[in-house]
Amino acid sequence: MHKAVLSGLPLDDLKEALKPLPSYRGQQVFHWLARGVRSFADMTNLSLPLRAELDARFSLYSSVISAQLPDPDGTVKLQITLYDGTRIEAVLLADREYRRTACLSTQVGCPMGCVFCKTGTLGLIRNLDSAEIVEQFFHLYLIEKTEKKESNISNIVIMGMGEPLKNLPELRRALAVLTDPEGLGFSKRRITLSTSGIVEGIRDLTDKGPDIRLALSLTTADAGLRERLMPVTVTNPLTQVKEALRSYQQRRKRRITLEAVLLGGINTRKTDVDALATFAEGLEVVVNLIPWNPVPGMSFEGRPLREPSRGELAIFIEGLEKKGLTVTRRLRKGRSITGACGQLGGNL
Ligand code: SAH
Ligand code: SF4
């Protein structure tokens, strides 16, 4: 029989699962899990017979690291194998010398089919459960912890494989585990969810939380072009996406990130600058530009995709800044291990 897995259970569910043991036992196990412990044998404040009993009844983890790929720029990509043999990737980004960001996946593959993204070519294989999301964090956390004693993961971005708003219930549970002050107590302000723009999901997040940061993968605000690059636009028109973002901002009072992956010769035109600036009107945003990370063999309407040239990038940034927008450029991290944005899932 498949043993129940504990890593992804919010505290109350964990207490429930451990019954008839008293609830403080749940609290003890929750504390251990929040410190990255993954074996009952290490839970030294539990008696030996209790550890054995728990071990017989439960699994702490359901996934294992199957490969660890370090990039010379400090990024580390993990390939993680799930209980059913499917694989996902999670990335530890070295933003600054001491700061690390954990980039987590929410699905095996992705159903959204954006034409520029490797993960999209896989289609949706399945949603991850809460345990599989939490475990990605702790797999990354432990690399950090063993190398430098303390973990320096200061931010989480839900920007790995998959569309997070298509798996919101399990993601919510995972975030409840990671942010619970009784456990790790990770700050919600340091968690960012990136979506391709699912109107219903943004509304759901606005209404029911959690109160995390939101990023929209806008790519272009030219609706016609966006429909061809990101099919999600057909059923989630940008006017409705913008309305949902406005409500989110009114409610949550947080600045929203508009991400734009720049595809050379496709969405770097003056009209894209203008459309993006119009879309941003009435919202408080920062624009994050991501020069397209190469994925071999990808094309758009018969033309191979290419990175934007330096000139295209410079003109695009200048155009947006002239319109008064704050623009940041995402660093190209993890390219040599295909761990950069949009490259995940290429060698699973
Ligand atoms: N599915 C979510 C989150 C994961 S994708 C979303 O789409 O928002 C994370 C980011 O990588 C998105 O902003 C996406 O537009 C970008 N991206 C996808 N493929 C890319 C590529 N090949 N190069 C650069 N960025 C890419
Ligand atoms: Fe899915 Fe995001 Fe890739 Fe689009 S960019 S296919 S939504 S992972």
Side-chain angles (χ1 to χ4, degrees), residues 110-114 116-121 160-163 196 217 230 342:
C110 179
M112 308 315 294
C114 305
F116 45 83
C117 170
K118 182 69 206 178
T119 311
T121 64
M161 299 168 69
E163 168 49 58
S196 58
S217 295
M230 301 178 69

Side-chain angles (χ1 to χ4, degrees), residues 110 112 114 116-118 158-164 194-196 215-217 219 230 259-261 290-295 298 330 341-343:
C110 179
M112 308 315 294
C114 305
F116 45 83
C117 170
K118 182 69 206 178
I158 320 291
M159 295 188 188
M161 299 168 69
E163 168 49 58
S194 173
T195 177
S196 58
L216 171 72
S217 295
T219 310
M230 301 178 69
E259 301 160 281
V261 42
I290 318 170
W292 182 67
N293 290 310
V295 180
M298 290 210 119
R330 186 158 312 169
C341 297
Q343 295 183 318

